[in-house]
Amino acid sequence: MIDAFLQLSPVTQALLGTLFTWAMTAAGAAAVYVKNEINPKHLDATLGFAAGVMIAASFWSLLNPGIEMAEQMGQIPWLTAVIGFLGGGIFMRLTDKFLPHLHPGLKMEQSEGVKTSWQRSTLLVVAITMHNAPEGLAVGVAFGAVGADLPSATIGGAIALAIGIGIQNFPEGTAVSMPLRREGLSRHKSFLMGQASGIVEPIFGVLGAVFVLTMQPVLPYALCFAAGAMIFVVVEELIPESQRVQANIDLVTMATMIGFSVMMLLDVSLG
């Protein structure tokens, strides 16, 4: 099976990789069929874990390879990294400013983006979907980089990134479906909307792979861009949401470190 996967085109690999991350989101969302609520302490810990995975992935799988590729391609490494990284953050800031969404646990009047008549449940799903987009982009760019035959890009590293994103998508799927269930939606509808938050990952994964394969000079920028987008999500959303309860901060901190360690282990061992 591994050999067959390696024979596929980078775009197909990116599609399969992000279909896996989407499936993990769906698996997490399916927890709504088993129980109605998730312990707030457990939810905070899972958000912290997801933050740790994304921070590690941003450096080990995206920024570091991007800097190495920039050097190999004759670019100014630090300048490429800064432009790409800040570009990803600015893109997510503009998305956050204009796209209507509502973070879990907040009241309707605390929704962000332009004013809309969308229902609360829709705004909740959009909030999670927003940070799934850069995750899908990151996986797609990683597989596209392998297809570009640059020495610093490895198939093991791309697979490690997909596995890491998939692992942290499982609790995220639960974190979406459970609040929807509390909003009064049926179990089935809560699951469908919860897993739907991950559907953007295959879309952005394929787009990312196609983009870097057709425009290879911007590949280092694309890797750093994906890293910047993911760090924005961590700082703007995951960490603040996970630390709303003062008593859980130590637990969240350790969960973040564990998530970082898991992703680092995957990337270093496979990449």
Coordinates of all heavy atoms in Angstrom, one line a residue, residues 67-134:
I67 N 12.6 27.8 4.5 CA 13.9 28.5 4.6 C 15.0 27.8 3.8 O 15.8 28.4 3.1 CB 14.3 28.7 6.1 CG1 13.3 29.7 6.8 CG2 15.7 29.3 6.2 CD1 13.5 29.8 8.2
E68 N 15.0 26.5 4.0 CA 16.1 25.7 3.3 C 15.8 25.7 1.8 O 16.8 25.9 1.0 CB 16.0 24.2 3.8 CG 16.5 24.0 5.2 CD 16.4 22.6 5.6 OE1 16.1 21.7 4.8 OE2 16.7 22.3 6.8
M69 N 14.6 25.7 1.3 CA 14.3 25.7 -0.1 C 14.6 27.1 -0.7 O 15.1 27.2 -1.8 CB 12.8 25.5 -0.3 CG 12.4 24.0 -0.1 SD 10.6 23.8 -0.4 CE 10.4 22.2 0.4
A70 N 14.3 28.2 0.1 CA 14.7 29.5 -0.4 C 16.2 29.6 -0.6 O 16.6 30.2 -1.6 CB 14.2 30.5 0.7
E71 N 17.0 29.1 0.3 CA 18.4 29.1 0.1 C 18.9 28.3 -1.1 O 19.7 28.8 -1.9 CB 19.1 28.6 1.4 CG 20.6 28.8 1.4 CD 21.2 28.4 2.7 OE1 20.5 27.8 3.6 OE2 22.4 28.7 2.9
Q72 N 18.3 27.1 -1.3 CA 18.6 26.3 -2.4 C 18.2 27.0 -3.8 O 18.9 26.7 -4.8 CB 17.9 24.9 -2.3 CG 18.4 24.1 -1.2 CD 17.5 23.0 -0.8 OE1 16.4 22.8 -1.5 NE2 17.8 22.2 0.2
M73 N 17.2 27.8 -3.7 CA 16.7 28.4 -5.0 C 17.3 29.8 -5.2 O 16.9 30.5 -6.1 CB 15.2 28.5 -4.9 CG 14.5 27.2 -4.9 SD 12.7 27.2 -4.6 CE 12.1 27.9 -6.1
G74 N 18.3 30.2 -4.4 CA 19.0 31.4 -4.6 C 18.3 32.6 -4.0 O 18.6 33.8 -4.3
Q75 N 17.2 32.4 -3.2 CA 16.5 33.5 -2.6 C 17.2 34.0 -1.3 O 18.1 33.3 -0.8 CB 15.1 33.1 -2.3 CG 14.3 32.7 -3.6 CD 12.9 32.2 -3.3 OE1 12.5 32.2 -2.1 NE2 12.2 31.8 -4.3
I76 N 16.8 35.1 -0.8 CA 17.3 35.5 0.5 C 16.4 34.8 1.6 O 15.2 35.2 1.8 CB 17.2 37.0 0.7 CG1 17.9 37.7 -0.4 CG2 17.7 37.5 2.1 CD1 17.8 39.2 -0.4
P77 N 16.9 33.8 2.3 CA 16.1 33.0 3.2 C 15.3 33.7 4.2 O 14.1 33.5 4.3 CB 17.1 32.0 3.8 CG 18.3 32.0 2.9 CD 18.3 33.4 2.3
W78 N 15.9 34.7 4.9 CA 15.2 35.3 6.0 C 14.1 36.2 5.4 O 13.0 36.4 6.0 CB 16.1 36.2 6.9 CG 16.8 37.3 6.2 CD1 18.1 37.3 5.6 CD2 16.3 38.6 6.0 NE1 18.3 38.5 5.0 CE2 17.3 39.4 5.3 CE3 15.1 39.2 6.3 CZ2 17.1 40.7 4.9 CZ3 14.9 40.6 6.0 CH2 15.9 41.3 5.3
L79 N 14.3 36.8 4.3 CA 13.3 37.7 3.7 C 12.1 36.9 3.2 O 11.0 37.3 3.4 CB 13.9 38.5 2.5 CG 13.0 39.5 1.8 CD1 12.6 40.5 2.8 CD2 13.8 40.1 0.6
T80 N 12.4 35.8 2.5 CA 11.3 34.9 2.1 C 10.5 34.4 3.2 O 9.2 34.4 3.2 CB 11.9 33.6 1.4 OG1 12.7 34.0 0.2 CG2 10.8 32.7 0.9
A81 N 11.1 34.0 4.3 CA 10.4 33.5 5.5 C 9.5 34.6 6.1 O 8.4 34.4 6.4 CB 11.4 33.0 6.6
V82 N 10.1 35.8 6.2 CA 9.3 36.9 6.8 C 8.1 37.3 6.0 O 7.0 37.5 6.5 CB 10.2 38.1 7.1 CG1 9.4 39.4 7.4 CG2 11.2 37.9 8.2
I83 N 8.3 37.4 4.7 CA 7.3 37.8 3.8 C 6.2 36.8 3.7 O 5.0 37.1 3.9 CB 7.8 38.0 2.3 CG1 8.7 39.3 2.3 CG2 6.6 38.2 1.3 CD1 9.4 39.5 0.9
G84 N 6.6 35.5 3.6 CA 5.6 34.4 3.6 C 4.8 34.3 4.9 O 3.6 34.2 4.9
F85 N 5.6 34.3 6.0 CA 5.0 34.1 7.3 C 4.0 35.2 7.6 O 2.8 35.0 8.0 CB 6.1 34.1 8.4 CG 5.6 33.7 9.7 CD1 5.3 32.4 10.1 CD2 5.4 34.7 10.7 CE1 4.9 32.1 11.4 CE2 4.9 34.4 12.0 CZ 4.7 33.1 12.3
L86 N 4.4 36.5 7.4 CA 3.5 37.6 7.7 C 2.3 37.6 6.7 O 1.2 38.0 7.1 CB 4.2 38.9 7.7 CG 5.3 39.2 8.8 CD1 5.9 40.5 8.6 CD2 4.5 39.1 10.2
G87 N 2.6 37.2 5.5 CA 1.5 37.1 4.5 C 0.4 36.2 4.9 O -0.8 36.5 4.8
G88 N 0.8 35.0 5.5 CA -0.2 34.1 6.0 C -1.0 34.7 7.1 O -2.2 34.5 7.2
G89 N -0.3 35.4 8.1 CA -1.0 36.0 9.2 C -2.0 37.1 8.7 O -3.1 37.2 9.2
I90 N -1.5 37.9 7.8 CA -2.4 39.0 7.3 C -3.6 38.4 6.6 O -4.7 38.9 6.8 CB -1.6 39.9 6.4 CG1 -0.5 40.7 7.2 CG2 -2.5 40.9 5.6 CD1 0.5 41.4 6.3
F91 N -3.4 37.4 5.8 CA -4.5 36.8 5.1 C -5.6 36.3 6.1 O -6.8 36.5 5.9 CB -4.1 35.6 4.3 CG -5.2 34.8 3.6 CD1 -5.8 35.2 2.5 CD2 -5.6 33.6 4.2 CE1 -6.8 34.5 1.9 CE2 -6.6 32.8 3.6 CZ -7.2 33.3 2.5
M92 N -5.1 35.6 7.2 CA -6.1 35.1 8.2 C -6.7 36.2 8.9 O -7.9 36.1 9.3 CB -5.4 34.1 9.1 CG -5.0 32.8 8.5 SD -6.4 31.9 7.7 CE -7.4 31.6 9.2
R93 N -6.0 37.3 9.2 CA -6.6 38.5 9.9 C -7.7 39.1 9.0 O -8.8 39.4 9.6 CB -5.5 39.5 10.1 CG -6.1 40.8 10.7 CD -6.6 40.6 12.1 NE -7.3 41.8 12.7 CZ -8.6 42.0 12.7 NH1 -9.4 41.0 12.2 NH2 -9.1 43.1 13.2
L94 N -7.5 39.2 7.7 CA -8.6 39.7 6.9 C -9.8 38.8 6.8 O -10.9 39.3 6.8 CB -8.0 40.0 5.5 CG -6.9 41.1 5.4 CD1 -6.4 41.1 4.0 CD2 -7.5 42.4 5.8
T95 N -9.5 37.5 6.8 CA -10.6 36.5 6.8 C -11.4 36.6 8.1 O -12.6 36.6 8.1 CB -10.0 35.1 6.6 OG1 -9.3 35.0 5.4 CG2 -11.1 34.1 6.6
D96 N -10.6 36.7 9.2 CA -11.2 36.8 10.5 C -12.1 38.1 10.6 O -13.1 38.1 11.3 CB -10.2 36.8 11.6 CG -10.7 36.8 13.0 OD1 -11.3 35.7 13.4 OD2 -10.6 37.8 13.7
K97 N -11.6 39.2 10.0 CA -12.3 40.5 10.1 C -13.6 40.5 9.3 O -14.6 41.1 9.7 CB -11.4 41.6 9.6 CG -12.0 43.0 9.6 CD -11.0 44.0 9.2 CE -11.6 45.4 9.1 NZ -12.0 45.9 10.5
F98 N -13.6 39.8 8.1 CA -14.8 40.0 7.3 C -15.7 38.8 7.2 O -16.9 38.9 7.0 CB -14.3 40.3 5.8 CG -13.7 41.6 5.7 CD1 -12.3 41.8 5.5 CD2 -14.4 42.8 5.8 CE1 -11.7 43.0 5.4 CE2 -13.8 44.1 5.7 CZ -12.4 44.2 5.5
L99 N -15.2 37.6 7.4 CA -16.1 36.4 7.4 C -16.9 36.2 8.6 O -16.3 36.1 9.7 CB -15.2 35.1 7.1 CG -16.0 33.8 6.9 CD1 -16.8 33.9 5.6 CD2 -15.0 32.6 6.8
P100 N -18.2 36.1 8.6 CA -19.0 36.0 9.8 C -18.7 34.7 10.5 O -18.7 33.6 9.8 CB -20.4 36.0 9.3 CG -20.3 36.7 7.9 CD -19.0 36.3 7.4
H101 N -18.5 34.7 11.8 CA -18.2 33.4 12.6 C -18.4 33.7 14.0 O -18.4 34.9 14.5 CB -16.8 32.9 12.3 CG -15.7 33.8 12.7 ND1 -15.4 35.0 12.0 CD2 -14.9 33.8 13.8 CE1 -14.4 35.6 12.6 NE2 -14.1 34.9 13.7
L102 N -18.5 32.6 14.8 CA -18.7 32.7 16.2 C -18.0 31.6 16.9 O -18.1 30.4 16.6 CB -20.2 32.6 16.6 CG -20.6 32.6 18.1 CD1 -20.3 33.9 18.7 CD2 -22.0 32.2 18.3
H103 N -17.1 32.0 17.8 CA -16.3 31.0 18.5 C -17.1 30.3 19.6 O -18.0 30.9 20.2 CB -15.1 31.6 19.2 CG -14.1 32.2 18.2 ND1 -13.5 31.4 17.2 CD2 -13.7 33.5 18.0 CE1 -12.7 32.2 16.5 NE2 -12.8 33.5 16.9
P104 N -16.9 29.0 19.8 CA -17.7 28.2 20.8 C -17.6 28.9 22.2 O -16.6 29.4 22.6 CB -17.0 26.8 20.8 CG -16.4 26.7 19.4 CD -16.0 28.1 19.1
G105 N -18.8 28.8 22.9 CA -18.8 29.4 24.2 C -19.1 30.8 24.3 O -19.3 31.4 25.4
L106 N -19.2 31.5 23.2 CA -19.5 32.9 23.2 C -21.0 33.2 22.8 O -21.7 32.3 22.2 CB -18.6 33.7 22.2 CG -17.1 33.6 22.4 CD1 -16.4 34.4 21.4 CD2 -16.8 34.0 23.8
K107 N -21.5 34.4 23.2 CA -22.9 34.7 22.9 C -23.0 35.3 21.4 O -22.0 35.7 20.8 CB -23.3 35.8 23.9 CG -23.3 35.3 25.3 CD -23.7 36.4 26.2 CE -23.7 35.9 27.7 NZ -24.1 37.0 28.7
M108 N -24.2 35.3 20.9 CA -24.4 35.7 19.5 C -23.9 37.1 19.3 O -23.3 37.4 18.2 CB -25.9 35.7 19.2 CG -26.3 34.3 18.7 SD -25.6 33.8 17.1 CE -26.4 34.9 16.0
E109 N -24.0 38.0 20.3 CA -23.6 39.4 20.1 C -22.0 39.5 20.0 O -21.5 40.6 19.7 CB -24.1 40.3 21.2 CG -23.8 39.8 22.6 CD -25.0 39.0 23.2 OE1 -25.7 38.4 22.4 OE2 -25.1 38.9 24.4
Q110 N -21.4 38.4 20.3 CA -19.9 38.4 20.3 C -19.4 37.8 19.0 O -18.2 37.6 18.8 CB -19.3 37.6 21.5 CG -19.6 38.3 22.8 CD -19.1 37.4 24.0 OE1 -19.7 36.4 24.3 NE2 -18.0 37.8 24.6
S111 N -20.3 37.6 18.0 CA -19.9 37.1 16.7 C -19.0 38.1 16.0 O -19.1 39.3 16.2 CB -21.1 36.7 15.9 OG -21.8 37.9 15.6
E112 N -18.1 37.6 15.2 CA -17.1 38.5 14.5 C -17.4 38.5 13.0 O -18.2 37.6 12.5 CB -15.7 38.0 14.7 CG -15.4 38.0 16.2 CD -14.0 37.4 16.5 OE1 -13.0 37.8 15.7 OE2 -13.8 36.6 17.4
G113 N -16.8 39.4 12.3 CA -17.0 39.5 10.8 C -18.1 40.4 10.5 O -18.7 41.1 11.4
V114 N -18.5 40.5 9.2 CA -19.6 41.4 8.8 C -20.9 40.9 9.4 O -21.1 39.7 9.7 CB -19.7 41.5 7.3 CG1 -18.4 42.1 6.7 CG2 -19.9 40.1 6.7
K115 N -21.8 41.7 9.6 CA -23.1 41.4 10.2 C -23.9 40.5 9.2 O -23.9 40.7 8.0 CB -24.0 42.6 10.5 CG -23.3 43.5 11.6 CD -23.2 42.7 12.9 CE -22.5 43.6 13.9 NZ -22.3 42.9 15.2
T116 N -24.6 39.5 9.7 CA -25.3 38.5 8.9 C -26.5 38.0 9.6 O -26.6 38.1 10.8 CB -24.3 37.4 8.5 OG1 -25.1 36.4 7.7 CG2 -23.8 36.6 9.7
S117 N -27.4 37.3 8.9 CA -28.6 36.7 9.5 C -28.3 35.2 9.7 O -29.3 34.5 10.0 CB -29.8 36.9 8.6 OG -29.6 36.4 7.3
W118 N -27.1 34.7 9.5 CA -26.8 33.3 9.6 C -27.2 32.9 11.1 O -27.0 33.6 12.0 CB -25.4 33.0 9.4 CG -24.9 33.2 8.0 CD1 -25.7 33.5 6.9 CD2 -23.6 33.2 7.4 NE1 -25.0 33.7 5.8 CE2 -23.7 33.4 6.1 CE3 -22.4 32.9 8.0 CZ2 -22.6 33.4 5.2 CZ3 -21.2 32.9 7.2 CH2 -21.3 33.1 5.8
Q119 N -27.6 31.6 11.2 CA -27.9 31.0 12.5 C -26.7 30.8 13.3 O -25.6 30.7 12.8 CB -28.7 29.7 12.3 CG -30.1 29.9 11.6 CD -30.8 28.5 11.5 OE1 -30.2 27.5 11.7 NE2 -32.1 28.6 11.2
R120 N -26.9 30.7 14.6 CA -25.7 30.5 15.5 C -24.9 29.2 15.1 O -23.7 29.2 15.2 CB -26.3 30.4 17.0 CG -25.2 30.1 18.0 CD -25.8 30.0 19.4 NE -24.8 29.6 20.4 CZ -24.0 30.4 21.0 NH1 -24.2 31.7 20.8 NH2 -23.1 30.0 21.9
S121 N -25.7 28.2 14.8 CA -25.0 26.9 14.5 C -24.1 27.0 13.3 O -23.0 26.5 13.2 CB -26.0 25.8 14.3 OG -26.9 26.1 13.2
T122 N -24.5 27.8 12.3 CA -23.7 28.0 11.1 C -22.5 28.8 11.4 O -21.4 28.5 10.9 CB -24.6 28.8 10.0 OG1 -25.7 28.0 9.7 CG2 -23.7 29.0 8.8
L123 N -22.6 29.8 12.2 CA -21.5 30.7 12.6 C -20.5 29.9 13.4 O -19.3 30.1 13.3 CB -22.0 31.9 13.5 CG -22.8 32.9 12.7 CD1 -23.4 33.9 13.7 CD2 -22.0 33.6 11.6
L124 N -20.9 28.9 14.2 CA -20.0 28.1 15.0 C -19.2 27.2 14.0 O -18.0 27.0 14.2 CB -20.8 27.2 16.0 CG -21.4 27.9 17.2 CD1 -22.3 26.9 17.9 CD2 -20.3 28.3 18.2
V125 N -19.8 26.6 13.1 CA -19.1 25.7 12.1 C -18.1 26.6 11.3 O -17.0 26.1 11.0 CB -20.1 25.1 11.1 CG1 -19.4 24.3 10.0 CG2 -21.0 24.1 11.9
V126 N -18.5 27.8 10.9 CA -17.6 28.6 10.1 C -16.4 28.9 10.9 O -15.3 29.0 10.3 CB -18.3 29.9 9.7 CG1 -17.3 30.9 9.0 CG2 -19.5 29.6 8.7
A127 N -16.5 29.1 12.2 CA -15.3 29.5 13.0 C -14.3 28.4 12.9 O -13.1 28.6 12.8 CB -15.8 29.7 14.5
I128 N -14.7 27.1 13.0 CA -13.8 26.0 13.0 C -13.3 25.8 11.5 O -12.1 25.5 11.3 CB -14.4 24.7 13.5 CG1 -15.0 24.9 14.9 CG2 -13.5 23.5 13.4 CD1 -13.9 25.2 15.9
T129 N -14.2 26.0 10.6 CA -13.8 25.8 9.2 C -12.7 26.8 8.8 O -11.8 26.4 8.0 CB -15.0 26.1 8.3 OG1 -16.0 25.2 8.6 CG2 -14.6 25.9 6.8
M130 N -12.7 28.0 9.4 CA -11.7 29.0 9.1 C -10.3 28.5 9.3 O -9.3 28.7 8.6 CB -11.9 30.2 9.9 CG -13.0 31.2 9.3 SD -13.3 32.5 10.5 CE -11.6 33.2 10.6
H131 N -10.1 27.7 10.4 CA -8.7 27.3 10.7 C -8.4 25.9 10.2 O -7.3 25.5 10.2 CB -8.4 27.4 12.2 CG -8.8 26.3 13.1 ND1 -9.7 26.5 14.1 CD2 -8.5 25.0 13.1 CE1 -9.9 25.4 14.8 NE2 -9.2 24.4 14.2
N132 N -9.4 25.3 9.6 CA -9.1 24.0 8.9 C -8.5 24.3 7.5 O -7.8 23.5 6.9 CB -10.4 23.2 8.7 CG -10.7 22.4 10.0 OD1 -9.9 22.2 10.8 ND2 -11.9 22.0 10.1
A133 N -8.9 25.5 6.9 CA -8.4 25.9 5.6 C -6.8 25.9 5.6 O -6.2 25.3 4.7 CB -9.0 27.2 5.2
P134 N -6.2 26.6 6.5 CA -4.7 26.6 6.4 C -4.1 25.3 6.7 O -3.0 25.0 6.2 CB -4.3 27.7 7.5 CG -5.5 27.8 8.3 CD -6.7 27.6 7.5

